[in-house]
Every structure is written in C-alpha cells, then in structure tokens.
Amino acid sequence: MISRRGALGLAGAAGIATLTGCYTDGPGTGQALVSGARIPPPFKVPLPIPQVAKTVRRDDTTDYYEVVQKVAKVEILPGSKTTIWGYDGTFPGPTFRARAGRRVVVTVRNELPVPTSTHLHGGVTPPDSDGFPTDLVVPAGYPVHTKHAGMAMKPSDFTLHDRTRDYVYPMNQRAATLWYHDHRMDFSAPQVWRGLAGAFLIGDNDEDRLGLPSGDKDIPLLICDRSFDAHGEFHYPELDSTLTNPGVTEEYMSGVFGDVILVNGAPWPILEVANTRYRFRLINGSNARRYQLTGLPVTQIGSDGGLLAAPIRLESVTLAPGERYDVVVDFSEYPVGTELTWANALGTGPTGNVLRFRVARAEKDPSQVPAALAAVPVLRREDAVATRQFDFRLQGGKWTINGRPYEPAGSVAAPKLDSVELWRFTSDFHHPVHVHLAQFQVLGRTGRKPEASDGGWKDTVDIRPYGVVEVLVRFAGYKGRYMMHCHNLEHEDMAMMANFDVV
Ligand code: C2O
Ligand code: CU
Ligand code: CU
C-alpha cells in the first residue's frame, strides 16, 4: 500500500505535480536511488557485445537452445565484482538471432534460489509459452507463494515446473527487435534488476534484401540504469533480500531510478566505429527510467514490431521502459577522429550521459537505407470492432487498471482472434503500457496526431501524465489468456497488470 506521504513524494518525483494537469517531462515516475559505490568516469569502458546464443540442435523446422539461469560474478564497475542473476550467467543474457518461420525452442533451467518466468517481449507466442507471471520454473522444494500485494493466492493460480521447462516460439512473425526478461509475479522488478534480460532479434528474407547494415554493424544496445552499494553489488530497495516476500520500501513504490547508466551491462561505454552506417537495436530495459538520446541524430527504420514503411530522421530518440527503436546512424557524416556522444536529455549529472562513439577508421560501406523499407498496412479507426478504455492510475494506495489491482484469475476483455479493437489508455502519472501477443498502431495522443516516433507496429507505448493514447490493436496469432501491464516494473509488481482473453 502506498500511503498519502508516499503518494505525495511520488508526485514530486514524477515532476508533474500540478492539479491543473500541467506537465513537464522527466525520467518518468520513480525515485532516485543513490549508489554507495564510487561511480566510474564515463566513456572509459569499451561497449560489450553480448554473445550470440548457440543452438544445441537444429532440424528441418526448429532451432533448439538451452539456457541456464544462474548466479555469477561479473565486472561491471572497473575493479570490482558484482553478483548478478543472468541467463547463462551473463548480463545481458545471450542475444538470440531467430528467423521468421523457423520455430525456436528454448529449454530454460533455473539454478537460481527463486522461481522465474521468462517472457519474450514482442513475441507472438502461444499462451503456455508466453511467460505468464504465475507460470513458474521453481527451484526444487520451493514453497508455493500464497500471498501477493496483500491478496490471497490459491495454488490453482499457479502452474509450476520443476527446475526446467521448454518455451516454444513458433516465430510466425516478421523481422523485429524483441527482448526477453523475467516476469515472475510480484518480483519482476528485482529479478530484472539483478540481470535477467537480453535481446532477441528476428530476421527475415524481406529485410535481408534491403541491404541494411549487418553482421558486426548490427548491434543490440540494451540500456538500463542500476545502483551499486559500497561493495559494488547491485543495490535495490527490496523489503526481503531473499525475494520470498514482495515489495520495496515505500519511497520507491513509484519506481526505482539507478544513478549508473549501463549499455549492454557496462557503465557509460565507448564504441570505436568505422565511418560507415551502423544499425543499433535500442532497447530500454530499465525498471522505470525513460531516456531521450540527443547529440547524434538517427534514421529510425523500425519500432517494437519491426520495420517502418519508410525511414524517418529523428534528432533525438525517446524510449520508455520496454520500448525498442531500430535505428541507423551514418558515421560517414563525421571525419575520422570525431567523438560523438549520446546524452540523455531526461537525465541530470551522471544520468545525463549514455554512450560515446569514436570514429576510428575509414572503411568502404556496402550498406544502404532504402527509401521504402516494408509494406506496413495502416489500420484505421473504422477497422475497430470494439472500443475499450483502460485507465492506469494510483488508487486506494495501489497501482491499478480501471481501479482494480491485478487479479490472477480475472479477465478484463475478450477480443476476437483476428479482430482490431480501439483501446484508449489514460493515466495519472507516466505509465509505459505494454500489451502481450497483440501489436498496435498509435492513432492519436490526447486529441492530437501521433508523434513522429510513434510510427509502425508497437507493443509498448508511453502514456504521459494525464495523457490519453488511442491505439488500434490487432489480435493475431493465438487464442487464450494474455495480459497487459505497465512496464514500469515496480508498478507491474505492485499490481498494475490485467489479463485479457483472445477468443
Ligand atoms: Cu516486457 Cu509483460 O513484459
Ligand atoms: Cu511482452
Ligand atoms: Cu505505471
């Protein structure tokens, strides 16, 4: 429960705060958590490129992978070790490179001391492999969780897998930048904070034909903020460090902002580049922080759900938690020797920096960004067969959707398979709203047209304080139970989720 004091602190932290609804932008809704460790200087550490996941087996239709979730010690702050929870003991986890039309089966073995659920964010995945918060891989003998956010849970609310399970991803979807992360009920925020996240890229033949930058010039950039204690360990304000009982200390109920910005798990790294085009898959994997990358204009080629119809030039890129932007940067515009920095216009002090590039060498560039990228059907208001409103709001001391905290057995909508619906999201604070399975197109924001960067198919959209965002959602793929939620992970854990059933 969030008390009156907590809620007021939250309004201040959100930087919005007036009853007139007047709005100033900021890092989102949350509270800064200051590191006890000495924060390293920016732009000294080379950008790590996560390893690409290797198949253990392939057959005519399917690529098989095995991943182990485990504890590891890694060097994040130069000269000290941080304990992480990682897929294959790495943070970020390995990058998956899948192909549209080729099924992927990932066997996840959980060697952590807690239950996990792995969700492929952006995946068109059957419900039993979607990584539902109550569909858990549990360590042997782990006691079944019976309470959550003050609500009783029944054993029948859970599906439990003993230590290991397969996730089946049919990959009947277009090329896109996805990511995967933990989704354990009530504990996604602390478990992602400890490292359970990685990139998952889908390619296809249509995309290959475009001649976009590829190979080592196609780089995922998972951006997230963390704080560190005096020993260099991750610092997070959880109430119970064993993650048996949920919750954070009251002042962080609105969200946790770290003061160290990591890209691919390294603090404010630097990347040496050739003077050619590069493709960057920007993923905001932060619990609560939003970024506005400025100082290096980009050509946006794709959004959450894959390529745009045509590239657009953006002077800056704003990413809310969970969102992806697929961008190309052309370093041939800068002489060899130039240093370019992505600053974060929504941060201050150390959080005002993100990543630096040094144009280190001249190279021939065979890549291009064609003026037409992909066929993207444009949904229209008339296509919607139903309209629903979902209000994301702090109510009665809880993060709620339409006034209700998450009910594991409940359902708030039953859209028909292959139909389009108009969903209107409204909010009090910043809430990055994410819908599982279905992708949507932004129709308008608070009575205005979508913003330039709202284009294409999306699965996550940032609702600003007192904002209204209308989206046209297409329910394609599978029938069954899915969910939507706020992707501020502290809000998500504190009940800002709702199920819907595709029928
Ligand atoms: Cu990326 Cu349900 O979350
Ligand atoms: Cu998702
Ligand atoms: Cu929220």
Side-chain angles (χ1 to χ4, degrees):
M1 295 277 285
I2 299 172
S3 70
R4 200 173 146 68
R5 187 175 66 82
L8 290 174
L10 173 124
I16 44 159
T18 70
L19 296 171
T20 58
C22 140
Y23 155 71
T24 50
D25 220 350
T29 297
Q31 182 70 42
L33 178 62
V34 176
S35 286
R38 204 167 56 84
I39 288 183
F43 316 130
K44 301 285 181 219
V45 180
L47 175 78
I49 309 291
Q51 59 187 314
V52 174
K54 288 191 191 66
T55 54
V56 290
R57 192 156 66 82
R58 295 167 57 89
D59 63 26
D60 290 350
T61 58
T62 307
D63 294 336
Y64 299 87
Y65 295 89
E66 287 174 10
V67 172
V68 182
Q69 297 177 308
K70 58 184 177 194
V71 181
K73 288 208 181 274
V74 302
E75 183 170 325
I76 297 174
L77 302 178
S80 70
K81 293 273 177 180
T82 303
T83 308
I84 62 149
W85 290 359
Y87 292 94
D88 283 345
T90 65
F91 168 53
T95 300
F96 287 82
R97 286 201 171 259
R99 294 293 294 182
R102 258 190 87 70
R103 200 167 76 116
V104 167
V105 176
V106 184
T107 303
V108 172
R109 194 164 83 248
N110 176 10
E111 293 183 355
L112 296 171
V114 297
T116 63
S117 173
T118 299
H119 171 59
L120 178 58
H121 180 136
V124 179
T125 305
D128 57 347
S129 281
D130 195 44
F132 213 70
T134 51
D135 186 1
L136 299 170
V137 183
V138 294
Y142 197 86
V144 183
H145 167 134
T146 51
K147 275 208 200 86
H148 106 100
M151 278 174 260
M153 297 286 296
K154 297 189 286 315
S156 62
D157 290 329
F158 292 96
T159 306
L160 302 178
H161 306 263
D162 185 11
R163 257 172 300 193
T164 183
R165 66 157 296 178
D166 289 350
Y167 289 94
V168 179
Y169 304 130
M171 294 284 114
N172 289 320
Q173 58 185 114
R174 63 202 288 256
T177 302
L178 279 52
W179 66 301
Y180 62 96
H181 59 79
D182 187 66
H183 219 301
R184 177 188 172 200
M185 173 107 158
D186 297 347
F187 298 95
S188 299
Q191 296 193 171
V192 171
W193 187 272
R194 290 173 192 216
L196 292 171
F200 191 112
L201 310 179
I202 309 174
D204 67 19
N205 297 339
D206 291 340
E207 181 183 88
D208 289 351
R209 279 193 284 271
L210 298 175
L212 296 168
S214 61
D216 60 2
K217 294 185 178 169
D218 174 8
I219 300 176
L221 298 175
L222 184 94
I223 304 172
C224 59
D225 56 341
R226 294 290 183 269
S227 297
F228 295 83
D229 70 12
H231 309 288
E233 299 288 1
F234 284 144
H235 184 34
Y236 186 83
E238 70 243 349
L239 293 173
D240 171 7
S241 64
T242 68
L243 303 188
T244 310
N245 293 304
V248 295
T249 57
E250 186 179 299
E251 56 184 325
Y252 292 99
M253 292 215 168
S254 56
V256 181
F257 296 145
D259 56 3
V260 176
I261 308 299
L262 304 177
V263 185
N264 293 348
W268 303 286
I270 179 163
L271 177 67
E272 294 206 334
V273 293
N275 65 342
T276 62
R277 291 182 196 84
Y278 280 73
R279 179 179 188 180
F280 296 115
R281 319 291 193 117
L282 297 167
I283 302 168
N284 184 352
S286 306
N287 284 33
R289 184 181 289 280
R290 300 157 69 243
Y291 303 84
Q292 184 184 5
L293 303 179
T294 57
L296 179 60
V298 303
T299 300
Q300 188 194 351
I301 58 170
S303 54
D304 301 334
L307 291 171
L308 303 176
I312 58 169
R313 175 97 170 173
L314 295 177
E315 289 306 309
S316 71
V317 185
T318 302
L319 296 118
E323 283 190 302
R324 286 89 67 212
Y325 280 84
D326 190 350
V327 303
V328 171
V329 174
D330 188 354
F331 292 103
S332 73
E333 296 171 20
Y334 311 98
V336 170
T338 309
E339 290 192 332
L340 298 146
T341 304
W342 256 330
N344 170 25
L346 303 181
T348 48
T351 64
N353 279 321
V354 178
L355 175 65
R356 178 166 290 172
F357 300 96
R358 184 183 301 122
V359 184
R361 57 190 189 273
E363 258 176 35
K364 271 220 165 52
D365 189 2
S367 76
Q368 55 168 12
V369 179
L373 295 169
V376 179
V378 177
L379 300 182
R380 285 169 317 178
R381 190 179 284 273
E382 311 78 86
D383 298 329
V385 298
T387 298
R388 302 179 204 266
Q389 175 148 340
F390 298 105
D391 186 39
F392 289 73
R393 194 166 294 270
L394 181 68
Q395 196 164 306
K398 284 187 172 147
W399 294 111
T400 64
I401 302 176
N402 286 351
R404 309 190 69 112
Y406 184 58
E407 289 156 89
S411 175
V412 297
K416 289 203 176 65
L417 183 65
D418 293 323
S419 73
V420 172
E421 295 195 355
L422 191 160
W423 283 14
R424 185 178 298 121
F425 300 129
T426 58
S427 75
D428 49 2
F429 298 107
H430 279 283
H431 298 294
V433 171
H434 170 49
V435 181
H436 284 212
L437 177 80
Q439 294 180 338
F440 54 73
Q441 295 179 359
V442 178
L443 186 62
R445 282 184 178 270
T446 322
R448 295 202 209 103
K449 286 214 278 238
E451 292 165 9
S453 55
D454 284 328
W457 286 109
K458 289 183 62 66
D459 57 51
T460 307
V461 65
D462 192 28
I463 319 301
R464 281 49 160 299
Y466 305 109
V468 180
V469 178
E470 290 189 326
V471 300
L472 290 165
V473 197
R474 193 177 66 182
F475 296 89
Y478 305 94
K479 291 183 186 170
R481 177 152 293 183
Y482 291 92
M483 63 177 356
M484 76 175 111
H485 57 85
C486 179
H487 221 290
N488 174 315
L489 298 182
E490 283 76 28
H491 298 188
E492 174 182 338
D493 280 350
M494 283 170 260
M496 200 171 240
M497 309 197 284
N499 298 331
F500 61 89
D501 292 287
V502 180
V503 297

